[in-house]
Amino acid sequence: MAVPRGCLGLPLVAVLLASLCRGQAAVRELKVGYYAETCPEAEDIVRETMARARAREARSVASVMRLQFHDCFVNGCDGSVLMDATPTMPGEKDALSNINSLRSFEVVDEIKDALEERCPGVVSCADIVIIAARDAVVLTGGPNWEVRLGREDSMTASQEDADNIMPSPRANASALIRLFAGLNLSVTDLVALSGSHSIGEARCFSIVFRLYNQSGSGRPDPHMDTAYRRSLDALCPKGGDEEVTGGLDATPRIFDNQYFEDLVALRGFLNSDQTLFSDNTRTRRVVERLSKDQDAFFRAFIEGMIKMGELQNPRKGEIRRNCRVANNSPWQPRTGMASGQSTSELR
């Protein structure tokens, strides 16, 4: 049986096939300008809110962009990563790859509140993530592109699926190639989309094993520039505070191809980044090419983001009023409660 567009073309893990491809309904038609008549200012509102968030905290826009990856990879781009856990639904925010890591959900809440005030019940949270991810790139000096919209929001989230799908910071290039292939994304897509780490920061928690016990050796990762390792040793001392953060590349506030130049120089922050240059000839060739040609990186990144955004959850969804909770959930915000508050505080 042919796999419909937006569902997986290759086996990733059994849970993906079970949750996306069994009993499948038709996926929604996405298009540029989807809200031109129903909420013509939607994209302007998102960009203006993202700009304000960046002015408050420069790191926040990179954190919002990361949400697209963690949303789309788990059962399609359906806004499920934004949902808070309830007593009856473990949320994706608490998955191993997300807990104490994903952040800036309050920026999405702020965008949603502004859109609900202007166009109530029109713009999905899933589309907000797609628009905001694009704007994170633009606001930090990267390329612009038109986004295809029209997604619905899922009514559930799955911590189990997120645990089964999302890669660890320790993942190697071969594992990442398999993950992306399962989503119909190529090696070039993998490397280009990893360039999202051109902006943002990560915690010492994600790299202490590289510094002190790579692969259980009791030694640092050999694929690391000596001077860079010393700087990371100072940032993330053994037994130190693992919540301290460092830039993912040498220019963590600017979207450029410095990330790839750093990988070639053995100065990648995460193992899952450095492995793209150090451990696999297929990914290394792409890293080398993009390190020398920023325009080629921008083109490949746009193509990858568009392809990733096409991953859809075929189940019937809704337009959530609050991105953290399904409309029909009994765990609704109390009257007067701001959408930025967690449902751990809900009745």
Side-chain angles (χ1 to χ4, degrees), residues 191-214:
V191 176
L193 289 172
S194 296
S196 63
H197 288 170
S198 171
I199 55 174
E201 301 175 7
R203 298 178 296 160
C204 288
F205 172 83
S206 299
I207 64 165
V208 288
F209 72 95
R210 291 190 71 204
L211 298 176
Y212 307 110
N213 192 28
Q214 177 78 329

Side-chain angles (χ1 to χ4, degrees), residues 215-263:
S215 302
S217 66
R219 298 179 60 82
D221 182 355
H223 302 303
M224 194 182 300
D225 172 74
T226 302
Y228 184 60
R229 190 187 74 234
R230 285 198 297 266
S231 71
L232 292 183
D233 287 344
L235 179 71
C236 307
K238 193 172 184 179
D241 183 358
E242 295 187 353
E243 296 303 309
V244 170
T245 62
L248 287 166
D249 76 353
T251 57
R253 301 288 182 263
I254 303 171
F255 193 91
D256 55 17
N257 70 334
Q258 180 66 49
Y259 164 85
F260 299 104
E261 294 182 19
D262 288 351
L263 298 188

